[in-house]
Amino acid sequence: MSVAARTLGWMRYGFIYTGSDPSLAVELAGLAEASGWHGFFVWEGIWATDPWATLAAAAMVTDRIKLGTMLTPVPRRRPWELAGQTMTVDRLSGGRVILSAGLGVSEAEPRFWIFEDDPGRRERAELLDESLGLMQQLWRAEPFEFEGQHYRAKRTESMLPPAIVQEPRIPTWVVGLWPRMKSMRRVARYDGWIPNYAPPGNSPESADEQTRLFTPEIAAEAIAWISEERGRLGLAERPFDVIQEGTTTGTDAAADAAIVQPWAEAGATWWLESDWSVPAERVEASARARIAAGPPSV
């Protein structure tokens, strides 16, 4: 059965807090759970509020809602430290953590490269692959050895941390650039697709341009490919999510459903509500109102 066929009708709804105040984020996570959302996400930056400390606090004031980042620039992180942080929140939350993983932005976004130089997309991709592979071992909290191009781990029998709660790993959603096959094959090996889109022969210069060009019809084509690839890998029966981010009103149910419905029909399983255009001074009021209105419904 295809990914789209298995997931249609299973749409879940998450809210991305675009602000930086950790205390407010924790409060909003509780409000999101009480208002019927299925997930609460915070952004992860360079020289920014620590998302995993924030999510650890949110885990202690919630019971059901999924908690995660949107998203973690894994090549910028030490994988053993990230494994320890995610494991800690996973255990504190009773197995409610999601890791959203991407390459991170290029030096075209200079604010994120103020401490080091961008090694380039190819090396960041290598670091992403090695980090995700290494973290599979680290999450088990068992003695192991690892030897990669960028990282190594010597075997140790002592001071092993606890294992994660979730099996076989913390669900890992990966950014994939459709239809770039190397990127998409990485996605197919994990637990979810965070879509990026570059039409053949064209590389959109901005996230806004990518969003404008990416349609539910294109998403359906990509989801069909993912389904086939996961079948080839023997992963067809494993859960897999397709994430679509966007903005709805929270005040016009019919209009909001019309926005979300085509993505659900294409095979998306999560709608992540966000509005990155809200000025910093209005983020609290905007987030509080949108969360309290509840998720869109399909």
Side-chain angles (χ1 to χ4, degrees):
M1 186 179 295
S2 71
V3 172
R6 285 193 294 111
T7 58
L8 182 59
W10 291 87
M11 180 73 83
R12 294 185 177 186
Y13 302 94
F15 185 87
I16 303 175
Y17 170 56
T18 62
S20 298
D21 184 336
S23 297
L24 176 59
V26 173
E27 179 188 346
L28 292 177
L31 178 62
E33 181 169 89
S35 301
W37 298 83
H38 303 103
F40 183 82
F41 299 81
V42 295
W43 63 279
E44 179 164 351
I46 304 300
W47 189 28
T49 299
D50 184 338
W52 298 104
T54 301
L55 294 175
M60 305 309 293
V61 300
T62 58
D63 296 308
R64 302 178 304 279
I65 199 166
K66 300 288 187 180
L67 302 168
T69 52
M70 187 53 62
L71 50 75
T72 296
V74 173
R76 307 292 299 276
R77 303 295 311 280
R78 294 177 181 267
W80 45 90
E81 293 178 352
L82 182 57
Q85 289 173 308
T86 51
M87 174 276 291
T88 300
V89 182
D90 194 55
R91 293 183 68 88
L92 287 172
S93 67
R96 293 185 282 126
V97 168
I98 295 169
L99 172 63
S100 299
L103 295 181
V105 298
S106 73
E107 61 186 358
E109 300 285 348
R111 167 60 177 81
F112 295 94
W113 292 98
I114 57 179
F115 303 110
E116 55 187 325
D117 295 326
D118 180 4
R121 184 181 182 86
R122 176 177 294 182
E123 184 166 329
R124 282 186 279 117
E126 293 171 356
L127 289 165
L128 176 59
D129 285 331
E130 279 196 27
S131 295
L132 293 178
L134 180 54
M135 288 173 66
Q136 312 306 300
Q137 300 288 335
L138 292 162
W139 280 333
R140 296 189 185 110
E142 299 172 349
F144 73 100
E145 295 177 355
F146 183 93
E147 191 69 39
Q149 182 178 349
H150 299 279
Y151 300 119
R152 76 172 190 275
K154 299 177 182 178
R155 185 180 181 87
T156 181
E157 307 279 345
S158 65
M159 299 180 68
L160 298 175
I164 59 171
V165 173
Q166 300 183 83
E167 293 289 348
R169 61 173 167 245
I170 289 173
T172 304
W173 297 347
V174 182
V175 175
L177 183 61
W178 176 260
R180 307 288 173 84
M181 289 299 101
K182 184 174 182 180
S183 177
M184 294 302 296
R185 289 189 185 99
R186 177 187 300 119
V187 167
R189 297 196 303 271
Y190 289 94
D191 310 303
W193 177 38
I194 303 170
N196 275 357
Y197 176 56
N202 184 16
S203 295
E205 295 184 359
S206 69
D208 289 342
E209 181 71 359
Q210 283 191 346
T211 299
R212 186 182 68 80
L213 294 172
F214 187 61
T215 66
E217 292 74 22
I218 293 170
E221 293 175 5
I223 292 166
W225 181 89
I226 292 170
S227 180
E228 183 177 343
E229 178 69 5
R230 285 177 65 80
R232 187 184 69 81
L233 295 171
L235 301 174
E237 299 307 313
R238 291 266 299 271
F240 189 85
D241 285 308
V242 177
I243 294 81
Q244 181 58 37
E245 184 177 342
T247 306
T248 57
T249 68
T251 58
D252 187 332
D256 292 349
I259 293 172
V260 177
Q261 181 75 36
W263 297 104
E265 292 176 350
T269 63
W270 275 86
W271 174 266
L272 296 191
E273 184 75 24
S274 69
D275 189 346
W276 297 94
S277 69
V278 176
E281 65 273 14
R282 291 182 48 219
V283 163
E284 177 176 356
S286 175
R288 196 183 297 279
R290 184 64 194 89
I291 290 172
S297 178
V298 173

